[in-house]
Amino acid sequence: MVCGLLLLALWTTKKANSVLQQDSESEFWLLSDVHFLSSALHDNSIAFNQFAEGAAGKEMRYQAESLEAFVAEALEKRPTGVILTGDMTLNGEKASAESLAELLAPLQEASIMVLSLPGNHEIYNGWARIFDGDKEFYADQISPQDFKDIFSEGYEKADSVDRTSLSYSINLNDQYRLVLLDSCIYEEQVNWNQPTTNGRLKESTLEWLKDQLEAAKQQQQTPLLFMHHNLLEHNSLLKEGYILDNSAQLQQLLTAYQVPAIFSGHIHIQDITEGPSGIQEIVTGSYSTQELGYGVVTLTDETINYEKKVIDLDQWAAKNKRKDPHLLQYSNYQATIFQQDTTKMVRQQLASVTELTEEQINTLYTFIAKMNAALFTGDDVYSQEEKETIRHSEEYQLLATYSYFLKQYVDSLLEDKSPDNALTLPIK
């Protein structure tokens, strides 16, 4: 009995200190907010089309193809792994999660890791639906255990799994420890309620995280964190429901352990922001809106490098001899869907304004649509001269006169001061 306990203790110690790879350099691709809906859950008919037209700028009809193109790119470039930072499914449909896992399976077969963490849309989401004809029906929801089973690789490779959430840590190599945090608030059983948008780390999860950061410190590793919700403010108007409820508490812990960077999603925009303590938060934009963007994180002994990349689905469709004109001109098609959502927002805000002509409203839409697209793609850094030109433009003056909200929104788009598509951090 004593011998058995001794062997168990030795095995546990070895597992806790073992690393996944000996390579000093690794590359991870970040995929966020895919909002994938399995084709098995809709018949491309009335109810689905009505939903797709009001899906807040998400492209819903060619999701499988866009993911096939992503997988093909990854198989060609062969990163160490892919990390999905939540909202992988549209509304937590179990069938969507299973279909997504099947689409990503070729990566695992090629020894490219697939590590996943949940978003606020994933677990026990009462919005899970099947679209059939002109009706919607409830779809099977994802339980925490389902999530572990469907996206199992991260948990199988984990050095430690939090007992009270879906968080886990990956002891990558001698240089880095990756911590994937479950920041979501969800029900404990199947329900028909809307999902909770905001997020919070449980006290027990914070204690577990502290243990992981302490282990990284003892092993002289650099800890990197990944979660769905945002740690920092990325837009002055888009804060409520996006920033973690106990962000200040988490920031204090990360500062104490000198965590250099955290990677997140949720807000759908591409953005990089530095916190008061110097921590960098890198948000990878949604893969379902405006463009097929993803992040590439390269880890070396000396630096952490991040760069946004975009999948060219037009090229993929041509290479694979697809005949659908929307696929062959997908970048324009996807941008048009996103712009249509911006049009709705502008028209709703100006619906009660009778002083503006239709031509002026169209001009305002074009003005805001261009800036809105830049926000979501991370191309929203303006020089002082460009800011002055915008503020003195006829469009801006019209907004200042007729729409306080839209004027505020444009002002928020002018706040960004640093590039959002690339970053290099030295390892201290």
Side-chain angles (χ1 to χ4, degrees):
M1 182 67 176
V2 173
C3 181
L5 289 173
L6 180 59
L7 286 174
L8 178 61
L10 288 172
W11 179 85
T12 303
T13 302
K14 182 180 179 181
K15 182 178 186 298
N17 292 322
S18 63
V19 295
L20 283 184
Q21 63 176 45
Q22 297 300 323
D23 297 342
S24 59
E25 184 169 323
S26 56
E27 180 176 292
F28 287 90
W29 290 12
L30 305 184
L31 197 59
S32 192
D33 296 271
V34 179
H35 291 285
F36 179 74
L37 178 69
S38 171
S39 60
L41 297 176
H42 74 85
D43 56 359
N44 201 28
S45 191
I46 297 171
F48 171 73
N49 288 324
Q50 286 177 343
F51 175 83
E53 289 172 6
K58 302 182 191 74
E59 195 287 294
M60 300 298 303
R61 292 181 173 86
Y62 298 96
Q63 292 181 314
E65 289 86 348
S66 71
L67 287 164
E68 287 175 29
F70 175 86
V71 168
E73 186 83 2
L75 290 174
E76 180 183 342
K77 301 290 178 62
R78 301 193 65 80
T80 307
V82 172
I83 300 176
L84 294 96
T85 53
D87 280 2
M88 298 172 286
T89 62
L90 177 63
N91 280 315
E93 312 86 5
K94 186 177 179 181
S96 294
E98 292 170 337
S99 295
L100 177 59
E102 289 178 11
L103 286 167
L104 299 174
L107 299 177
Q108 295 164 303
E109 292 167 6
S111 298
I112 298 171
M113 287 187 281
V114 176
L115 310 177
S116 309
L117 58 86
N120 58 292
H121 278 248
E122 250 74 67
I123 308 299
Y124 287 140
N125 185 341
W127 283 354
R129 294 288 188 275
I130 298 171
F131 300 92
D132 186 6
D134 61 353
K135 295 180 174 59
E136 297 180 13
F137 301 96
Y138 291 125
D140 289 342
Q141 300 172 12
I142 303 170
S143 71
Q145 188 59 51
D146 289 334
F147 189 89
K148 284 185 175 181
D149 292 341
I150 296 169
F151 303 107
S152 59
E153 185 170 13
Y155 297 96
E156 292 167 356
K157 286 183 163 59
D159 183 67
S160 176
V161 179
D162 179 26
R163 293 183 179 180
T164 60
S165 75
L166 291 169
S167 306
Y168 59 96
S169 71
I170 297 289
N171 202 9
L172 182 63
N173 53 32
D174 291 338
Q175 182 72 36
Y176 293 98
R177 179 177 294 254
L178 313 180
V179 183
L180 283 76
L181 290 172
D182 174 7
S183 60
C184 304
I185 301 170
Y186 40 81
E187 304 282 349
E188 296 183 359
Q189 58 187 0
V190 172
N191 71 93
W192 310 118
N193 302 322
Q194 68 179 41
T196 301
T197 301
N198 56 303
R200 182 179 184 85
L201 293 181
K202 298 176 181 177
E203 290 299 323
S204 54
T205 300
L206 284 168
E207 287 298 320
W208 172 84
L209 172 59
K210 184 177 180 181
D211 290 342
Q212 299 311 303
L213 296 177
E214 182 62 34
K217 180 180 179 180
Q218 294 300 321
Q219 295 179 41
Q220 298 183 317
Q221 293 171 308
T222 298
L224 297 177
L225 270 62
F226 303 81
M227 68 178 181
H228 183 64
H229 292 84
N230 307 132
L231 178 73
L232 306 171
E233 178 184 311
H234 292 269
N235 179 279
S236 60
L237 289 187
L238 304 176
K239 294 186 291 186
E240 187 175 353
Y242 294 102
I243 300 174
L244 198 70
D245 289 355
N246 51 349
S247 171
Q249 190 176 4
L250 178 57
Q251 286 188 59
Q252 187 176 14
L253 182 59
L254 302 187
T255 300
Y257 282 94
Q258 298 182 312
V259 177
I262 184 167
F263 302 86
S264 64
H266 191 41
I267 197 172
H268 285 201
I269 68 175
Q270 178 71 36
D271 196 75
I272 300 175
T273 296
E274 183 176 346
S277 62
I279 188 172
Q280 297 282 348
E281 181 171 36
I282 300 167
V283 179
T284 298
S286 169
Y287 195 69
S288 63
T289 59
Q290 181 56 31
E291 64 181 9
L292 300 175
Y294 65 99
V296 175
V297 181
T298 305
L299 306 175
T300 73
D301 287 339
E302 298 178 347
T303 59
I304 301 165
N305 299 287
Y306 175 89
E307 184 178 5
K308 186 197 81 171
K309 297 281 189 178
V310 177
I311 292 295
D312 188 340
L313 197 59
D314 309 42
Q315 186 180 70
W316 176 87
K319 181 180 178 181
N320 288 275
K321 297 180 170 42
R322 300 299 177 97
K323 296 180 180 180
D324 190 318
H326 288 152
L327 273 178
L328 292 168
Q329 298 182 16
Y330 183 81
S331 56
N332 290 334
Y333 173 72
Q334 187 184 31
T336 298
I337 289 174
F338 185 78
Q339 289 165 9
Q340 287 172 348
D341 185 70
T342 305
T343 302
K344 291 178 184 177
M345 177 189 73
V346 173
R347 289 193 174 278
Q348 286 172 356
Q349 292 297 322
L350 298 176
S352 61
V353 178
T354 58
E355 293 87 350
L356 294 173
T357 66
E358 184 67 18
E359 182 180 356
Q360 287 175 315
I361 291 175
N362 287 334
T363 300
L364 289 176
Y365 151 68
T366 302
F367 173 71
I368 294 175
K370 182 179 179 181
M371 295 186 68
N372 199 41
L375 170 71
F376 278 74
T377 58
D379 299 314
D380 58 336
V381 178
Y382 303 94
S383 68
Q384 192 59 41
E385 182 179 353
E386 289 172 324
K387 291 179 182 179
E388 289 303 312
T389 299
I390 289 171
R391 291 191 176 106
H392 285 92
S393 67
E394 180 182 355
E395 294 87 347
Y396 184 88
Q397 299 306 316
L398 285 173
L399 293 178
T401 303
Y402 296 108
S403 178
Y404 177 72
F405 171 79
L406 290 177
K407 186 260 185 186
Q408 263 194 317
Y409 187 64
V410 169
D411 285 339
S412 77
L413 304 184
L414 298 175
E415 294 172 354
D416 208 338
K417 298 177 181 178
S418 59
D420 296 318
N421 291 329
L423 179 70
T424 296
L425 290 174
I427 298 298
K428 298 179 181 178

